[in-house]
Amino acid sequence: NTAGSNTVIAVPIAGAFTLTKDGAGTLTLAGVNTFSGGLAFPAGQLNLNSATALGAATATFNINGGATINNTSGGSVTIANNNPIAISASFTFAGANNLNLGAGSVNNGSLTKTITVSTNTLTFGGAFTGAGPVIKAGNGILEMAGASTGIGGGLTVNGGTLRVTGSLSTNTVTVGGSGTLSGTGTIG
């Protein structure tokens, strides 16, 4: 529990357990982690400052709260283990530095999710699946680099840029407000 505090873990975290980041404070994962039970993230801020911050490749990254993700390492980070990602709630990427969450599959469930990218670039390299609509907000760039067949409810860009460098098969992509669409990928 990081209630109101800032905790940095730069040593390896290993074992067959689920790591849960709870409380309103900030947790920074900066070590070479191999834990295998997944990471639950219901509150506060989580800084992913190393390529293995999310643990072993079998560890699912569960974004299940209206929380904030960031990369405060001082440079771009790409998650190396391609962890599966489950998004069950809206969240914000603060964007101190670019963050690529790797090529793990992304399950966005069935409810509407707003992904706010405040600045810089948040990249999902894996394919999105799920029936829930996705709303992109914030001034930053959300890059979708996987071969996504999900997002059955459509994708709306209300701010910043949606960059498609993979393929995005969805019912609709709506660009409104101050949003822009870019990339070299395919939609439809």
Side-chain angles (χ1 to χ4, degrees), residues 132-152:
V134 173
I135 299 168
K136 193 283 179 198
N139 293 326
I141 299 168
L142 175 62
E143 180 173 359
M144 301 181 85
S148 296
T149 58
I151 314 179

Side-chain angles (χ1 to χ4, degrees), residues 103-130:
S105 63
V106 182
N107 183 340
N108 68 307
S110 60
L111 302 176
T112 300
K113 313 295 183 317
T114 298
I115 301 174
T116 302
V117 181
S118 298
T119 187
N120 283 317
T121 302
L122 175 65
T123 300
F124 287 95
F128 269 72
T129 61

Side-chain angles (χ1 to χ4, degrees), residues 54 61 77-85 87 91 99-107 115 121-129 141-149 151 162-168:
L54 297 178
F61 180 34
V77 168
T78 298
I79 299 299
N81 289 334
N82 298 321
N83 303 78
I85 300 169
I87 304 172
F91 71 94
L99 178 63
N100 183 327
L101 291 172
S105 63
V106 182
N107 183 340
I115 301 174
T121 302
L122 175 65
T123 300
F124 287 95
F128 269 72
T129 61
I141 299 168
L142 175 62
E143 180 173 359
M144 301 181 85
S148 296
T149 58
I151 314 179
L162 171 66
R163 179 189 301 150
V164 179
T165 56
S167 60
L168 182 59

Side-chain angles (χ1 to χ4, degrees), residues 16-88:
F17 58 85
T18 299
L19 178 63
T20 301
K21 189 271 174 232
D22 201 5
T26 299
L27 174 62
T28 300
L29 298 177
V32 179
N33 299 328
T34 59
F35 63 92
S36 60
L39 174 62
F41 178 43
Q45 180 167 312
L46 178 65
N47 297 330
L48 301 175
N49 286 8
S50 81
T52 56
L54 297 178
T58 57
T60 299
F61 180 34
N62 296 288
I63 304 170
N64 48 6
T68 299
I69 298 169
N70 205 353
N71 164 18
T72 59
S73 69
S76 296
V77 168
T78 298
I79 299 299
N81 289 334
N82 298 321
N83 303 78
I85 300 169
I87 304 172
S88 60

